[in-house]
Amino acid sequence: MKQRSKRYSFTLVAVVMAMALCLLSGCLGAPAGNTAQSENVTYMSKAHSSMEELTETLDAFNEAVARQDIVTMRTQAENANRVIDAFTAIEAPEVLADVRQDYVDGCVALQGALSDYVALYGDITSATPEHPFDYSTYDGRVQAIQKAYDEGIQMLQSGDQRAIDLENE
């Protein structure tokens, strides 16, 4: 049951980020000839493409969770890490620096939560009678994963708010 709720949580993150990036790119649309605004749109376009790719990767991760396929979960988590790493490498124009930082911080927190989820699931599935999983640690680990996830969402929301504030200036 907890796997399913976490599975949907990771999909929600990708959707929220994609929507926020679409909103921001629309807010910072470039009139012809305005280089600064053109750079804003270029950054947001790259960021949006990254989030679309991340959404696809997280969908594949979710499918692996549903199948309880730890090998594919690990592969998709690595794919998500590559997408997040590429996203965090995208430089933003000065006006979007704080928005970018909030999104990067959110992605890094989510990256950690995803990694920890895979590790927890791997520990459970690799347990043997001789080396059983220590269920006394389960709740604490799930809480830590949820905390990292929640912090990531809060950072993404902070980026969204910054984008809205930029639009209203």
Side-chain angles (χ1 to χ4, degrees):
M1 181 65 98
K2 292 185 188 240
Q3 286 176 340
R4 178 167 284 189
S5 66
K6 182 59 64 182
R7 185 180 87 203
Y8 293 119
S9 297
F10 288 116
T11 300
L12 175 63
V13 169
V15 170
V16 167
M17 284 199 57
M19 288 173 40
L21 292 172
C22 286
L23 170 68
L24 186 56
S25 65
C27 296
L28 299 173
N34 189 323
T35 303
Q37 287 190 351
S38 178
E39 289 173 358
N40 295 343
V41 171
T42 298
Y43 167 75
M44 293 311 302
S45 177
K46 288 178 183 178
H48 178 73
S49 293
S50 292
M51 290 305 103
E52 285 181 348
E53 187 177 354
L54 182 59
T55 298
E56 291 172 11
T57 301
L58 292 176
D59 286 345
F61 178 84
N62 292 337
E63 291 170 12
V65 169
R67 291 189 315 269
Q68 299 182 353
D69 179 353
I70 188 68
V71 173
T72 303
M73 273 188 253
R74 286 183 178 129
T75 300
Q76 293 307 324
E78 289 170 8
N79 290 341
N81 288 339
R82 278 193 289 281
V83 172
I84 290 170
D85 290 344
F87 172 72
T88 61
I90 299 171
E91 293 299 322
E94 185 63 31
V95 70
L96 296 175
D98 290 339
V99 171
R100 177 194 175 276
Q101 191 59 53
D102 286 340
Y103 286 144
V104 167
D105 291 346
C107 281
V108 169
L110 295 172
Q111 190 175 32
L114 182 62
S115 176
D116 291 347
Y117 180 79
V118 170
L120 174 60
Y121 190 83
D123 290 349
I124 292 170
T125 59
S126 66
T128 64
E130 296 82 29
H131 302 289
F133 177 74
D134 181 4
Y135 279 95
S136 68
T137 66
Y138 180 82
D139 287 340
R141 289 175 71 180
V142 168
Q143 288 173 358
I145 292 166
Q146 188 64 52
K147 181 181 179 195
Y149 169 80
D150 291 342
E151 288 172 354
I153 292 295
Q154 289 172 350
M155 289 177 228
L156 295 174
Q157 290 171 339
S158 176
D160 291 344
Q161 187 59 52
R162 286 181 198 266
I164 290 167
D165 292 346
L166 282 173
E167 177 185 20
N168 294 328
E169 287 182 359

